[in-house]
Amino acid sequence: MKKRLLIANRSEIAIRIIRSAHKLGMLAVVFQSDKEPDALYLKYADEIIPARDATTEKPIFLDAERIVNLALEHNIDLIHPGYGFLSENPDFAALCTENGINFIGPSATLIREMGLKTVAKSMAIEAGLPLVPGSDGAINDAEAAKVYAEKIGYPVLLKASAGGGGRGMRIVEKPETIERHFKSASDEALAAFDNGDMFIEKYLQNPKHIEFQILGDKHGNVIHLGERECSLQRKHQKLLEEAPSASLTPEMRKDMGDMAVRFAKKIGYFSAGTIEYILDEDGSFYFMEMNTRIQVEHPVTEMVSGVDLVDWQIRIALGEVLTLKQEDIKLNGWAIECRVNTEDPQNRFSPQTGFIDKIHFPHSNDIRIESGVQSGSVVTPYFDSMIAKIIVHGSNRQETIEKTLAALYEFSLIGLKTTVPFCRAVLQHPEFVDATYTTRWVDQVYTPEMLENADDEMIGALAATIMYASEYLQLSSDLPSYKNDSLNVWVLNKRLNY
Ligand code: ADP
């Protein structure tokens, strides 16, 4: 009997997990949310469970109890949580386990410990990892924050212990505002995570975000698969990632990788996980946190390592021994991932919702597309705006940048604005090309004027509309077809910048 794997997630990551489930000979089961009943991922699944979540505010993917009840009804063996939603919710992991369902991820205890950054940090100290100067544990009030801030020097960063996705985080430049920021960050954290505990760190002015991918099994074996650089962020949300990072020397890579493995071993970690570091301008690096799930940007690691991380997550959950040894991991070339979000980079990345009239992805041996949509899909306001990821591999960084840029020029989407023109601007910017960009790039350097042919996007969309209209008219009248052809050529030329 085939094992039944339920995916408590949607969109591109659901399709990604279905692929691994099928590769491992399992049946893939998904939920159909009333909030997007025609989603693309449903077409890939072997079985669909109607979630009937039309009248509830919570989409099924956030409703732990209903997920587990439905899983039991449908004889599910394993649950993969993907990323976001309940993927780092220890109560959900525990509920699955208590009900005899194999949760694909680490134990509820590990998720709980790593979910509280203050706890994770104290465990990191025990493993000998360097930490950003700051409070070692939670601080009780703004007064205590002030005392620490005086000690470490402004600017400081107030962070929520239970935080995620940049919520509950505030930069404080001067003592006069610390009280106000403390209150608003703590309130935000309490509302979002049911936990208002705060801690404080020195705010690094121009850092880079470097993270190491870990794989560990239930038998004590742990390896790392190198690093990713995820410094390109807006409001602490990643927009474009690369592997490896051009900012690490071989010695730093070895130190950071060894530390990540040491930490994971010390805490008895199993499954895929990510150790996040922050790298300062002077080359010092500090442990930031550990993520206990598969990351959005995992494909760049897969492209350079040749290791299928989702396959391994599932195999590890089943108790298999991690047969890969550290010395087997040979990283090959470079990979860049561009997130395709339906957001308008011209207009403060405002979310776009509605129909995708037509979408075309680039194709080549070096391009991997992870997409949750197709032509005709609807982007609703209920979920995240990331609709796809374009991942490109090359033999070195420069070649990969060039190939990625070419791939983005081949991409087209008619109907909604996306972050693709933004990614094109990034790839051509001198600070990206020479790899000196930091987490402040979007805030400090990016301007919408960098978007080339912003008007052409509009002209292109308009031309496409005319094209469809004329195609439609052709059905009823006898318009000569060369009109369409010349319009096609014109649109193509516009897009290719001729
Ligand atoms: P979250 O879990 O909310 O995403 P993280 O601790 O992972 O929060 O931090 C998110 C981002 O915030 C980092 O990638 C980095 O850009 C920035 N950041 C975190 N800590 C610091 C710090 N001490 N100084 C400067 N920037 C920081």
Side-chain angles (χ1 to χ4, degrees), residues 411-422:
F411 170 85
S412 71
L413 190 157
I414 295 164
L416 297 170
K417 293 188 175 171
T418 72
T419 43
V420 167
F422 166 83

Side-chain angles (χ1 to χ4, degrees), residues 20 94-95 185 189 206 210 223 231 237 249 255 271 292 319 347 368 388 390 417 424 438 460 482:
S20 277
L95 196 62
N206 265 306
I210 311 282
I223 58 165
S231 302
Q237 302 278 4
T249 61
D255 277 359
S271 194
T292 54
N347 186 15
R368 174 169 159 186
I390 298 172
K417 293 188 175 171
R424 288 204 305 251
T438 71
Y482 69 83

Side-chain angles (χ1 to χ4, degrees), residues 80-91:
H80 196 305
Y83 52 68
F85 297 121
L86 298 174
S87 60
E88 289 180 295
N89 182 316
D91 298 335

Side-chain angles (χ1 to χ4, degrees), residues 227-437:
E227 81 280 8
R228 299 182 280 261
E229 173 155 357
C230 315
S231 302
L232 214 103
Q233 304 178 356
R234 180 176 178 272
K235 296 194 167 171
H236 309 300
Q237 302 278 4
K238 300 161 186 169
L239 289 164
L240 184 151
E241 303 94 348
E242 58 180 317
S245 164
S247 310
L248 300 192
T249 61
E251 294 74 40
M252 286 161 85
R253 181 168 293 119
K254 181 160 184 349
D255 277 359
M256 292 166 104
D258 287 352
M259 280 182 194
V261 169
R262 197 164 73 222
F263 179 64
K265 277 194 174 155
K266 182 149 176 85
I267 63 174
Y269 193 81
F270 59 89
S271 194
T274 300
I275 310 279
E276 294 190 342
Y277 294 101
I278 190 157
L279 173 65
D280 205 357
E281 285 160 286
D282 64 1
S284 325
F285 60 86
Y286 307 98
F287 168 83
M288 212 162 27
E289 64 165 340
M290 179 171 200
N291 290 327
T292 54
R293 56 174 156 82
I294 194 80
Q295 309 258 133
V296 173
E297 60 272 21
H298 75 276
V300 287
T301 300
E302 295 188 328
M303 294 249 318
V304 294
S305 69
V307 174
D308 190 313
L309 294 167
V310 178
D311 281 8
W312 271 112
Q313 270 192 309
I314 301 172
R315 292 169 63 179
I316 288 165
L318 292 170
E320 277 191 38
V321 172
L322 180 66
T323 46
L324 297 169
K325 299 271 169 276
Q326 192 64 58
E327 54 274 20
D328 299 335
I329 305 302
K330 301 270 180 285
L331 302 176
N332 164 36
W334 218 274
I336 294 178
E337 172 179 279
C338 299
R339 298 192 187 194
V340 182
N341 298 349
T342 46
E343 293 169 2
D344 180 5
Q346 194 83 41
N347 186 15
R348 279 183 277 130
F349 295 80
S350 59
Q352 307 274 297
T353 53
F355 273 101
I356 294 175
D357 294 325
K358 214 162 179 72
I359 189 163
H360 171 78
F361 286 107
H363 296 285
S364 107
N365 285 345
D366 303 321
I367 301 176
R368 174 169 159 186
I369 302 294
E370 297 290 343
S371 171
V373 297
Q374 61 183 354
S375 297
S377 290
V378 187
V379 177
T380 70
Y382 305 114
F383 300 110
D384 192 83
S385 61
M386 192 185 80
I387 54 163
K389 308 183 297 207
I390 298 172
I391 311 109
V392 181
H393 185 259
S395 55
N396 57 47
R397 189 167 188 268
Q398 196 192 332
E399 183 193 289
T400 312
I401 293 176
E402 285 160 12
K403 280 184 177 174
T404 310
L405 199 54
L408 295 188
Y409 278 115
E410 211 185 296
F411 170 85
S412 71
L413 190 157
I414 295 164
L416 297 170
K417 293 188 175 171
T418 72
T419 43
V420 167
F422 166 83
C423 292
R424 288 204 305 251
V426 170
L427 292 165
Q428 294 174 84
H429 193 274
E431 286 183 18
F432 185 80
V433 174
D434 70 13
T436 55
Y437 69 108

Side-chain angles (χ1 to χ4, degrees), residues 184-215:
S184 81
S186 175
D187 287 352
E188 184 176 299
L190 192 62
F193 313 111
D194 217 13
N195 179 335
D197 284 356
M198 300 297 297
F199 65 102
I200 190 167
E201 275 180 4
K202 172 93 192 136
Y203 179 67
L204 307 181
Q205 303 274 359
N206 265 306
K208 282 172 168 281
H209 174 117
I210 311 282
E211 56 183 36
F212 273 73
Q213 178 67 54
I214 291 290
L215 269 182

